[in-house]
């Protein structure tokens, strides 16, 4: 395994974002793996494939897409799986020549955008036939000549924002229709990790591995503010969520500070530091006034009361719960659960998708 593959594979594993692709609508043999309902009511678990990362639902809510890098050892390319959101059974599969990590989807549901982190690019995939329509490879390289990893991807008003894992990192601004690079926001700190756009403030927020939150004006693509909520304390800030009604910004750290921070989205002031332990993905559910946090190390998913921050429920999802997705009605939560890596970057089994009914 190359040094590039090894280093970036570990990074995306700890964090998590024009070639033709084959697409099949009938499940292949491996897709017949058992879909199980754990003892806990309302939970369905599907052992799906190696290298699962982020998920998106289409606008109709009748298709769940899951990004897969597949294996990191002796495996070329990846897959984008299309699942039935209710049963988690496979309804489609796009085999891609590059590995897939983070995801977003167009408002009309016709295009899924994925980051190809190990190769430093992004791909636009047609959801109708599974083919890669367009691709953009970024030119930034680190001191060893390897591409900056394209981690998170965010779509806002026809523009894609992509976090570049470099030191210093960048944020690529891309036209979603043409996949042409419009601008590169430079000096974005060590490793751009999480991205969020706030309707309330009309600003883009970016987290990085230097413990910073960057506040960016999407109209000028300028960094207007740099918040460092934990000051000089070591922090590797990761994923972001927002409560629009109260102006709270939630940010996780599962590496150094091992906490979830609650910030004032206007000022960056720390409102509360949640002592829940290592925190990876985070989602805020306005419909239920709940906060969800995956804990990679403990193998748990937490549901917190978003007012009191008291833990309401804990799901055991070993070994490593990773990414979260919330349905539009706020009543269904999806989780990718990853297997631990062996020393040779293989795993002992497939990663899983879990569907949790919150009703």
């Amino acid at each position: 395994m190359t040094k590039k593959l090894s280093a970036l594979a570990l990074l995306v594993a700890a964090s998590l974002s024009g070639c033709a692709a084959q697409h099949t609508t009938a499940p292949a043999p491996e897709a017949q793996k058992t879909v199980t309902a754990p003892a806990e009511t309302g939970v369905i678990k599907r052992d799906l494939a190696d290298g699962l990362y982020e998920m998106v639902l289409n606008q109709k809510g009748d298709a769940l897409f899951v990004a897969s890098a597949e294996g990191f050892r002796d495996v070329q390319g990846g897959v984008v799986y299309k699942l039935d959101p209710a049963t988690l059974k496979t309804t489609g599969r796009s085999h891609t020549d590059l590995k897939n990590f983070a995801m977003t989807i167009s408002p009309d549901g016709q295009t899924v955008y994925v980051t190809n982190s190990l190769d430093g690019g992004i791909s636009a995939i047609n959801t109708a036939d599974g083919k890669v329509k367009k691709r953009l490879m970024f030119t930034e390289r680190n001191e060893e000549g390897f591409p900056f990893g394209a981690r998170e991807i965010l779509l806002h008003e026809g523009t894609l924002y992509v976090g570049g894992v470099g030191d210093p990192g960048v944020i690529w601004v891309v036209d979603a229709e043409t996949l042409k690079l419009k601008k590169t926001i430079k000096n974005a700190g060590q490793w751009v990790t999480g991205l969020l756009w706030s309707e309330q403030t009309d600003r883009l927020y970016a987290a990085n591995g230097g413990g910073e939150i960057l506040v960016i004006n999407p109209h000028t693509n300028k960094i207007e503010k740099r918040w460092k909520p934990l000051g000089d304390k070591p922090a590797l800030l990761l994923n972001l969520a927002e409560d629009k009604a109260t102006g709270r910004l939630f940010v996780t750290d599962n590496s150094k500070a091992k906490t979830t921070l609650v910030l004032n989205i206007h000022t960056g002031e720390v409102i509360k530091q949640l002592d829940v332990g290592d925190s990876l993905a985070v989602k805020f559910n306005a419909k239920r006034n709940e906060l969800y946090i995956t804990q990679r190390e403990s193998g748990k998913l937490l549901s917190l009361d978003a007012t009191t921050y008291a833990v309401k429920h804990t799901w055991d999802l070993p070994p490593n719960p990773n990414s979260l997705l919330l349905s539009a009605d706020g009543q269904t939560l999806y989780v990718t659960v990853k297997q631990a890596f062996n020393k040779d970057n293989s795993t002992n089994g497939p990663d899983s998708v879990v569907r949790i009914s919150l009703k």
Side-chain angles (χ1 to χ4, degrees):
M1 175 173 290
T2 65
K3 186 174 181 181
K4 172 184 78 169
L5 182 57
S6 178
L8 285 177
L10 291 176
L11 175 62
V12 293
S15 303
L16 295 180
S17 200
C19 300
Q22 182 182 356
H23 181 73
T24 58
T25 56
E30 72 271 18
Q32 303 291 348
K33 294 168 186 172
T34 304
V35 178
T36 60
E40 189 163 9
T41 303
V43 178
I44 300 174
K45 181 182 179 182
R46 166 86 189 277
D47 293 337
L48 181 60
D50 293 334
L52 299 185
Y53 286 91
E54 293 193 0
M55 306 160 284
V56 290
L57 281 164
N58 64 357
Q59 190 177 39
K60 294 180 181 179
D62 60 3
L64 173 68
F65 297 91
V66 185
S68 170
E70 297 298 294
F72 288 105
R73 185 173 181 269
D74 302 327
V75 178
Q76 173 62 36
V79 176
V80 173
Y81 292 92
K82 182 181 179 182
L83 307 183
D84 182 306
T87 66
L88 300 185
K89 292 182 179 179
T90 299
T91 59
R93 185 183 297 104
S94 300
H95 295 268
T96 60
D97 59 320
L98 299 181
K99 296 182 178 298
N100 310 298
F101 295 88
M103 300 186 82
T104 190
I105 191 168
S106 61
D108 60 12
Q110 295 181 9
T111 306
V112 164
Y113 302 94
V114 298
T115 59
N116 308 120
S117 299
L118 301 186
D119 296 276
I122 58 174
S123 299
I125 299 174
N126 189 327
T127 57
D129 59 15
K131 293 182 179 180
V132 175
K133 300 191 294 184
K134 293 183 178 68
R135 177 170 285 160
L136 173 61
M137 306 306 293
F138 301 111
T139 59
E140 282 77 3
R141 296 292 184 270
N142 63 20
E143 293 179 353
E144 297 173 334
F146 297 133
F148 280 21
R151 189 182 183 273
E152 281 301 308
I153 185 167
L154 180 151
L155 176 61
H156 171 57
E157 294 185 347
T159 299
L160 294 165
Y161 296 89
V162 185
V165 179
D167 190 9
V170 299
I171 299 171
W172 295 293
V173 184
V174 180
D175 184 288
E177 179 64 27
T178 63
L179 236 58
K180 299 294 184 182
L181 181 65
K182 297 167 63 176
K183 183 178 178 60
T184 300
I185 301 173
K186 299 181 179 180
N187 195 28
Q190 182 186 44
W191 310 338
V192 177
T193 51
L195 292 172
L196 177 141
W197 176 76
S198 169
E199 180 181 359
Q200 184 182 88
T201 65
D202 189 25
R203 291 295 182 268
L204 180 73
Y205 296 82
N208 67 34
E212 292 181 311
I213 300 293
L214 309 181
V215 184
I216 300 164
N217 186 327
H219 305 289
T220 63
N221 292 315
K222 300 289 186 182
I223 299 174
E224 295 181 332
K225 300 175 184 176
R226 290 177 179 267
W227 298 334
K228 202 160 186 182
L230 291 178
D232 293 331
K233 295 179 181 178
L236 199 168
L237 303 184
L238 288 173
N239 296 302
L240 303 162
E242 177 193 13
D243 175 8
K244 299 176 184 177
T246 64
R248 289 177 298 172
L249 179 68
F250 305 98
V251 57
T252 62
D253 184 327
N254 84 318
S255 176
K256 296 180 179 180
K258 296 188 183 302
T259 188
T260 298
L261 299 174
V262 185
L263 308 180
N264 182 316
I265 201 167
H266 299 278
T267 66
E269 176 190 2
V270 177
I271 299 171
K272 182 107 175 145
Q273 185 170 338
L274 305 183
D275 296 323
V276 294
D278 73 284
S279 304
L280 185 60
V282 60
K283 289 290 180 184
F284 172 73
N285 188 344
K287 302 289 178 63
R288 298 175 59 90
N289 191 40
E290 292 174 340
L291 191 68
Y292 310 111
I293 300 169
T294 55
Q295 296 187 308
R296 186 177 178 84
E297 294 177 9
S298 66
K300 297 181 184 299
L301 166 64
L302 305 181
S303 170
L304 279 65
D305 182 294
T307 300
T308 66
Y309 306 114
V311 176
K312 295 177 61 176
H313 195 88
T314 300
W315 292 272
D316 290 316
L317 299 176
N320 303 131
N322 201 71
S323 300
L324 289 172
L325 176 67
L326 186 64
S327 62
D329 65 3
Q331 301 305 320
T332 307
L333 191 63
Y334 298 91
V335 192
T336 53
V337 179
K338 300 190 63 58
Q339 295 288 327
F341 281 96
N342 299 317
K343 289 183 178 180
D344 63 354
N345 289 318
S346 66
T347 61
N348 295 326
D351 294 346
S352 306
V353 178
V354 176
R355 179 188 188 276
I356 300 173
S357 175
L358 300 171
K359 294 180 182 179

